[in-house]
Amino acid sequence: MSSLTGHFLVNPESLQWRLSNLMKIPNADFLERTGSEYLGARLLRYPPKSAGTLHKHIWSEEFYFMVEGVGRIRAGSETLTLPKHGGLLVRPNELRQVFNDTDSEVAWLIIRGPEETLSLPTDMTTFYLTDPKQLPPELADVTWPPVG
């Protein structure tokens, strides 16, 4: 790994928004342009009645920060509700899934470190122990991600 020095400013105008691969959640990666080998930071805007993947990380801790709205997350065997500006640290090897069971968009900032981009296993069942698109019970009557 290289040693990073100095600083790197990320302007909101320079963020590139995209839809996540599996669940089609709008998101922007804050640190992709910085070259950081230690941290990841992603802003996600969850539409009403939506969910991210049910997954875990091998080495990374993730800090979930509720930017806008009231957030819901499954962490291990618990379902937690975070108020605006609340936060939650999830340790490696614990299943987690962010979801939005409200009628309003919510925004999360997720910070992860260290990055797991080096030496990743090719078998994705390491991260997804079950169907990653499995929705939480709170969204049992919802179809997500959108089809089309």
Side-chain angles (χ1 to χ4, degrees):
M1 283 189 203
S2 67
S3 176
L4 300 176
T5 60
H7 62 275
F8 194 104
L9 178 65
V10 179
N11 290 309
E13 302 83 31
S14 71
L15 292 175
Q16 295 179 344
W17 287 85
R18 69 173 188 84
L19 296 179
S20 63
N21 294 336
L22 293 177
M23 300 302 273
K24 308 304 179 201
I25 302 296
N27 69 92
D29 188 333
F30 271 82
L31 296 179
E32 67 186 349
R33 286 174 214 65
T34 68
S36 176
E37 297 172 352
Y38 306 103
L39 289 176
R42 188 171 294 275
L43 180 64
L44 296 105
R45 302 193 75 80
Y46 282 77
K49 309 296 184 197
S50 66
T53 58
L54 178 62
H55 70 284
K56 69 174 188 164
H57 291 278
I58 302 168
W59 304 290
S60 296
E61 292 184 327
E62 283 185 315
F63 182 74
Y64 292 81
F65 179 76
M66 195 66 238
V67 177
E68 293 175 12
V70 174
R72 306 267 283 154
I73 183 170
R74 293 198 295 180
S77 61
E78 293 185 67
T79 298
L80 305 166
T81 302
L82 278 70
K84 182 177 180 177
H85 300 159
L88 172 70
L89 177 69
V90 181
R91 303 247 186 237
N93 290 310
E94 182 165 63
L95 283 172
R96 78 273 324 253
Q97 181 178 37
V98 173
F99 65 94
N100 180 8
D101 57 352
T102 73
D103 293 324
S104 301
E105 181 181 84
V106 299
W108 289 86
L109 177 63
I110 302 174
I111 301 167
R112 181 177 68 231
E115 274 289 359
E116 292 184 320
T117 56
L118 302 173
S119 304
L120 285 178
T122 55
D123 181 5
M124 293 309 284
T125 60
T126 302
F127 302 100
Y128 305 119
L129 301 181
T130 62
D131 177 7
K133 293 183 180 183
Q134 170 188 340
L135 297 179
E138 293 83 355
L139 294 176
D141 60 340
V142 172
T143 300
W144 192 267
V147 178

